[in-house]
Amino acid sequence: MPARLSWLPPLLLLEAVLCTYAVASVGPADALLAFAAAARGDNARALADWQPGTDCCSWSGVSCDDAAAVMALRLPRAGLHGKLAPDLALLPTLQSIDLSGNALSGPLPASWARLPALERLMLDRNHLTGTLPATWNMLEELQYLSLAGNQLNGTLPVAWSSMGRQLLLLDLSDNALSGTLPPSWARQRWLTRLGLARNKLSGPLPRQWGRLAALLQLDLAGNELAGALPPEWGTLRQASSLDLGNNSLSGALPPGWAALGSLQMLSLTANRLSGAVPSQWTQLADRAYRLALGDNPQLCGQVPAPLAQAVLAAGASARGSRLGQVCSWEEDAAALLSFKAAILAAPAGPGAVQGAASQAETLADWQQGANPCSQGAWTGVSCAGGRVAVVNLANAGLRLPTLEPLAQLSALQKLLLSGNSAVNATLPASWAALSQLEVADLSSTGVAGSLPAQWAGLASTLRQLHLSHNALSGTLPGSWGELGELVTLDISRNSLTGSLPPEWGALGSLVSLDVSSNYLSGGLPAVWEALASLQQLRLSSNNLAGSIPTSWERLPSLALLDLGSNVGVCGGQRTWRDGTEVALDATNVAHSCIVLRTSAVLAGILLALAVSITLASVAAVAAMLLHVRRLRAQLAALHRERSTTSFSDLGAASSDPGFASQLGSKLAVLHTLAAGPGGADGLGSKAPGDHLKALSVGGLWEDEQGRYIQVPVSTPGAGMPPPGAHTPRGAGMPSDEHRSPSPASGMPSPERHQWQVAAQAADRGMDLTARRARQKRLFRSRSDAAGVLAGGAAAVEQLHAQQQGLGHGSSTSLEVETLRVHSRAALLPPDGSMV
C-alpha cells in the first residue's frame, strides 16, 4: 500500500465509529434536512415542503416502509443547485437514490460507501466533478449506477471490479474520464449494460472483456481507443448492441465475430479499420439489421450478398469507405504471395540458411485472402494508407531465388532483406518503378549481376542504398548521378570493375560513399569536388591510380578519406583542412607518377616474357608426354597381338590356302623377329605354307614359364617314357648318373635342398641335367633363336610325316620333347645381346 494511503484504514474505522454514534443520536429527518440544506444551493424554492417538525415520510421524493424507515430518495429534475452532502450515509435503510437531471456539483461523497442497502444510485446529468471513489466498491448490494453526463475525471477504478455482487448497469458516459479500460472489470459477470462513451479513454480493447457473458449493450464510442478488434469478443453471445465508433481502432474485421449470435446493431464508424468484410459475417445476416462501417477509408472489397442490405443501405457504410470496390492492398498481397511462393519453391543449396519447413513457418501468416495491412497480420509487413509500405525480413534466414515480385509493391517505402541468401538472384531493373522507395538494404545476401542503370528513376525518393558483401559485378552506372536525394551508398566488397563515374559528382546530398574492396581502376575524378555534403569517402582496396586531385582539398564537409591499398595512387600528399582523416596505407603517394608508370610498364614486359617462356615449356612437356603415350600404346598393341595369337590356331587353319595367304605376312614378321639382324637362315627358304605345316603350337603354359611359346619337336630316344606309359615308382632311368647319395647329417642347408630337388626329380623319372640344358637354350640371342626355330620346324615336319605313315591313332606313342622359345624375342636388342 502506498504511503499516502496508509492512513486510510484507521480513518475509515474512526469514521465508522463516529457514524454509528451519529446514527444513534440523529434521526432520519435530521439527516434529510442536512442533505436538503446542501443540495438546494442558490435555489431556495427547491424542496419547499421539507420543513422541520413534520413527518419526513411525507416530504416530496421521500419513500418509507411501514416502520417509517426511509427506503428511497427520488428527486430527479428537482432544481437542486448545490452539492451532495455526506449526511445520507446516516440512512442505513436507504435502497434507492435518484438525483438525476439537476445541477448538483462538487465531488462524489466517499462516505456513501457505507450505505449497506443501496441498490440504485442515479446521479446522471448533473455537474459533478472530481474522481470516482474507489471505496464505492464496498456497495455490495448496488445493481444500478449511472453517473453519465457529468464532469468527472480521473481513471476508472480497478477496485470497482468487485463493486456489487450483482451489478447490472454501469453508465459513465459523457464525462472526462481518461486512462485505459481495466481488464479486471471482466469479473462483473452479471453486467448487462456498460456505457463509457464520449470520454477520453485510450489504449486497447481488453480481450478479457470477452468473458462478460451477460453483457447486452456496450457503448465505447467517442473515445481515443486504439488497436485491433479483439477476436475474443466473439464470445459475447448475448450482446445485441456494440458501439465502438469514433475511435482509432485499426486492423481487420475479426472473422470470429460472426459468432455474436444476438447481435442486432454494430457500429464501427470513423475508425481506421482496413480490409474486407469477412465472408464468415454472412452468419449475422439473419439478425443484424444495422452494421455501420462507414468512414473507414481502408475498408474495401465486395460485401457478401446476404449482408448488403444491413451494411450498405441501413449502415450507410459506403460513405467514407471503399466497400464494394477492389481493395488497395489486394495487388500488394498478390505480389507478396508470389514472392513467398518463389521462396518456398527454391531448392535447398549448400548455402541454405534454413529448411523449407522453417521458411514456411516464418511466413506462415502470409495467407491467401488475408489483409497484409492488418496490424501485425503479416510478419515483417507494415502499411500506410492501406498499402504495403515496409517489408522487413532482415536476418530471417530465407532463400531468395528472385526479387522480381517485389517490383509490384508500388507504395513500398522501405525494403530490408539483409542477412538472407540471394545467391541466385539479381537486382531487378524493374525496381525503377518503386516511385516511393526510400531505403533498400540487400547487404550480405550474395546477390549477383550488375547495378541496374534504370535505378536512376528513383531520383526523387531513394535516400539509402546498401549493397555491400555481395557478388555484384560490372561497372558503376554513370546514370546514378541523377539520384539527387541519395544520402548513403554502400557497394563495398563486391567484384565491380571500371572507373569512378565523373557523373557522380552531381550527388549533392551524398553524405557517405563506400566502394572499397572492389576491382575499380582508373583515376580519381576531379569533378567530385562538387560533392558538398560528402563526409565519408572510402575507396580502399581497389586498383585506382594517379594523383589525388587538388580540387578535393576544397571538399567542405569531408571528414574521412580512405585510399589505402591502391598502389597506383601517387603524385604526392595534399593539404587537407583540419579534422579530415586521410588513410593512404599501401599506396605510392610519396612517389612520382611518371616513375611509377615506367616501372609498371617494365614489370609488365618482364611478366609477359616470363609467361611466354612458361607456356612454351608447358607445351614442350605436353608434346613429350603425348609422344611417350603413343609409344606405350604401340607397345601395348604389339603385346596384345602376340598374346592373343596361337600357333596352334595357325596350324589348325593351315589346310585353308586363303587363310594361309592372309597369315603369311604375320609369319614372316615372326621369322624376322626371331632371326634378328643376322637374317633368318634356314627359315627364309621355306614358303609360308610349309612353315604352317611344320609348326603346331599347343598353347600358352600357365606355369612360371607361361609366357613362352611351346614348339613340339620329335626327339626319339630321348630317354622319356611314351605318353600314357606308367613308370613304376623307383624304376631306374637309363642311367643313374643323376642319383645323389643320401645327405649327410652335417650337410649345409643349401646343399641339402639341392639334393632333395634332385631326388624328387629322379623319383618322377625326370632327367634334371637335360632339363637344365634345355632351359639354358631359352636365353640365347636373336641369331641363335632363328636357328632353333628352323630346327624345330624340321623336326615338326618329320613328326608330321611319321604321323601320316603311322596314322592319327598312333601319335600318342611318339615321344615329344617341348622346346620353349621365349615369346619376347621381338623385344631383344637389335645387337643380339642376351636378355
Side-chain angles (χ1 to χ4, degrees):
M1 181 181 297
R4 62 181 181 179
L5 298 180
S6 61
W7 50 268
L8 189 57
L11 181 61
L12 291 176
L13 180 61
L14 178 61
E15 189 175 2
V17 172
L18 294 176
C19 182
T20 303
Y21 175 75
V23 169
S25 60
V26 178
D30 296 332
L32 290 174
L33 289 174
F35 165 76
R40 287 191 184 97
D42 57 359
N43 186 9
R45 292 178 299 178
L47 304 178
D49 59 339
W50 286 33
Q51 298 297 326
T54 61
D55 184 8
C56 64
C57 291
S58 63
W59 296 347
S60 59
V62 178
S63 299
C64 300
D65 61 4
D66 296 339
V70 178
M71 302 297 293
L73 180 61
R74 299 183 179 91
L75 296 171
R77 296 175 297 278
L80 302 178
H81 295 172
K83 300 181 182 300
L84 296 176
D87 301 83
L88 291 181
L90 301 176
L91 301 173
T93 59
L94 194 60
Q95 296 180 356
S96 176
I97 300 176
D98 187 355
L99 301 175
S100 60
N102 288 285
L104 296 169
S105 61
L108 299 174
S111 60
W112 287 12
R114 295 191 305 272
L115 292 170
L118 188 62
E119 298 178 355
R120 190 181 188 95
L121 179 57
M122 313 300 289
L123 299 175
D124 52 285
R125 298 183 312 249
N126 281 284
H127 304 295
L128 299 173
T129 59
T131 61
L132 302 177
T135 56
W136 282 16
N137 70 319
M138 299 171 61
L139 298 171
E140 295 182 357
E141 301 299 327
L142 191 64
Q143 298 181 14
Y144 301 91
L145 174 60
S146 178
L147 299 172
N150 285 283
Q151 301 173 16
L152 300 171
N153 53 40
T155 60
L156 301 178
V158 177
W160 282 19
S161 60
S162 60
M163 181 174 61
R165 287 179 293 188
Q166 291 186 1
L167 185 64
L168 301 177
L169 180 144
L170 178 59
D171 192 354
L172 302 175
S173 302
D174 297 299
N175 281 283
L177 299 171
S178 59
T180 60
L181 303 177
S184 61
W185 282 20
R187 298 195 191 106
Q188 294 290 354
R189 299 297 179 85
W190 297 96
L191 193 63
T192 58
R193 291 176 174 82
L194 176 59
L196 296 171
R198 294 169 293 281
N199 280 284
K200 298 180 180 179
L201 299 171
S202 59
L205 301 178
R207 57 182 180 83
Q208 294 85 347
W209 285 17
R211 298 198 294 266
L212 295 172
L215 193 64
L216 299 177
Q217 297 179 2
L218 175 61
D219 190 355
L220 297 173
N223 284 283
E224 299 172 5
L225 300 171
L229 301 178
E232 293 82 358
W233 285 20
T235 59
L236 299 175
R237 305 296 175 81
Q238 303 299 322
S240 61
S241 175
L242 294 179
D243 193 347
L244 304 174
N246 294 281
N247 281 285
S248 298
L249 301 171
S250 59
L253 303 178
W257 282 23
L260 296 174
S262 302
L263 189 64
Q264 298 178 9
M265 193 280 292
L266 173 63
S267 177
L268 298 172
T269 59
N271 279 285
R272 301 176 183 174
L273 300 171
S274 61
V277 177
S279 59
Q280 294 87 340
W281 281 25
T282 55
Q283 302 176 27
L284 305 175
D286 58 346
R287 50 190 177 273
Y289 65 89
R290 186 172 186 269
L291 297 179
L293 302 175
D295 295 322
N296 285 281
Q298 299 179 30
L299 283 178
C300 56
Q302 297 297 324
V303 179
L307 290 175
Q309 179 64 25
V311 174
L312 298 180
S317 296
R319 184 184 66 250
S321 72
R322 300 183 64 235
L323 289 173
Q325 306 176 28
V326 177
C327 292
S328 58
W329 48 262
E330 288 185 355
E331 181 179 351
D332 296 340
L336 291 175
L337 290 174
S338 176
F339 185 52
K340 173 185 176 180
I343 292 175
L344 298 182
V353 184
Q354 62 177 356
S358 299
Q359 294 190 120
E361 182 178 354
T362 301
L363 304 176
D365 50 11
W366 289 26
Q367 296 295 328
Q368 184 73 35
N371 178 13
C373 292
S374 298
Q375 186 174 9
W378 286 28
T379 299
V381 177
S382 301
C383 295
R387 299 296 305 276
V388 173
V390 178
V391 175
N392 184 0
L393 296 174
N395 301 306
L398 301 174
R399 295 188 303 273
L400 311 178
T402 179
L403 303 173
E404 194 69 34
L406 299 178
Q408 304 300 321
L409 302 176
S410 57
L412 188 64
Q413 300 176 15
K414 185 180 295 185
L415 178 60
L416 306 176
L417 299 176
S418 61
N420 293 288
S421 176
V423 294
N424 296 322
T426 58
L427 298 177
S430 57
W431 281 15
L434 300 177
S435 58
Q436 301 184 37
L437 186 64
E438 298 179 2
V439 179
D441 188 353
L442 285 86
S443 55
S444 302
T445 59
V447 65
S450 59
L451 301 176
Q454 295 86 343
W455 284 15
L458 304 174
S460 60
T461 58
L462 189 61
R463 295 177 55 83
Q464 298 182 29
L465 182 57
H466 302 273
L467 299 172
S468 62
H469 296 81
N470 287 306
L472 298 171
S473 58
T475 61
L476 303 180
S479 60
W480 282 20
E482 302 175 13
L483 298 173
E485 299 297 324
L486 192 62
V487 175
T488 302
L489 176 58
D490 186 357
I491 48 179
S492 61
R493 298 185 179 276
N494 283 283
S495 301
L496 299 169
T497 57
S499 59
L500 300 176
E503 295 86 349
W504 286 18
L507 298 174
S509 300
L510 192 63
V511 173
S512 176
L513 174 60
D514 191 349
V515 295
S516 59
S517 299
N518 281 284
Y519 300 99
L520 301 174
S521 58
L524 306 177
V527 295
W528 281 20
E529 65 174 323
L531 299 174
S533 302
L534 189 62
Q535 299 179 10
Q536 298 180 354
L537 178 57
R538 292 180 172 86
L539 304 173
S540 60
S541 300
N542 281 287
N543 299 321
L544 300 173
S547 60
I548 303 175
T550 57
S551 59
W552 285 20
E553 299 176 356
R554 298 187 292 273
L555 288 170
S557 304
L558 189 63
L560 172 64
L561 174 61
D562 188 357
L563 287 169
S565 300
N566 285 284
V567 295
V569 175
C570 55
Q573 182 60 277
R574 297 290 179 260
T575 303
W576 307 98
R577 64 181 183 85
D578 295 340
T580 302
E581 180 182 353
V582 180
L584 297 173
D585 301 335
T587 64
N588 288 286
V589 72
H591 299 82
S592 171
C593 290
I594 297 178
V595 174
L596 190 63
R597 292 192 187 98
T598 303
S599 302
V601 172
L602 293 177
I605 294 175
L606 293 176
L607 179 61
L609 182 60
V611 171
S612 300
I613 294 175
T614 302
L615 293 177
S617 301
V618 171
V621 172
M624 184 186 302
L625 293 176
L626 183 61
H627 180 65
V628 171
R629 184 175 181 180
R630 290 176 178 173
L631 292 178
R632 288 182 177 179
Q634 294 175 0
L635 183 61
L638 182 60
H639 178 70
R640 287 194 301 271
E641 182 179 0
R642 184 177 63 250
S643 300
T644 57
T645 303
S646 174
F647 283 101
S648 61
D649 295 338
L650 297 177
S654 60
S655 59
D656 186 358
F659 183 73
S661 62
Q662 294 177 5
L663 297 181
S665 59
K666 293 187 178 181
L667 185 59
V669 173
L670 178 60
H671 296 160
T672 303
L673 294 176
D681 298 339
L683 294 177
S685 60
K686 289 181 178 294
D690 297 334
H691 292 302
L692 292 176
K693 295 178 180 179
L695 294 178
S696 177
V697 181
L700 298 178
W701 290 10
E702 296 298 330
D703 58 0
E704 66 275 8
Q705 283 90 22
R707 295 186 180 273
Y708 295 127
I709 301 176
Q710 306 173 28
V711 182
V713 180
S714 176
T715 55
M720 295 297 291
H726 176 69
T727 303
R729 189 175 186 84
M733 297 294 293
S735 78
D736 295 332
E737 57 181 351
H738 299 295
R739 295 286 183 176
S740 299
S742 299
S745 60
M747 182 181 295
S749 296
E751 297 178 1
R752 182 185 296 110
H753 176 69
Q754 293 178 2
W755 182 90
Q756 292 175 351
V757 171
Q760 293 175 0
D763 292 341
R764 291 197 299 268
M766 296 176 57
D767 189 346
L768 198 59
T769 302
R771 179 179 181 181
R772 290 175 179 172
R774 288 194 301 271
Q775 290 177 348
K776 289 181 181 180
R777 288 196 298 271
L778 297 176
F779 297 95
R780 294 178 178 177
S781 64
R782 287 185 174 180
S783 59
D784 293 336
V788 172
L789 183 60
V796 172
E797 184 175 1
Q798 182 180 0
L799 176 62
H800 182 68
Q802 294 177 1
Q803 290 178 347
Q804 290 179 350
L806 297 177
H808 295 286
S810 61
S811 61
T812 56
S813 62
L814 298 179
E815 295 183 354
V816 180
E817 182 179 6
T818 303
L819 176 63
R820 301 179 180 179
V821 180
H822 202 290
S823 64
R824 297 176 181 173
L827 301 180
L828 292 173
D831 55 357
S833 60
M834 299 300 292
V835 176

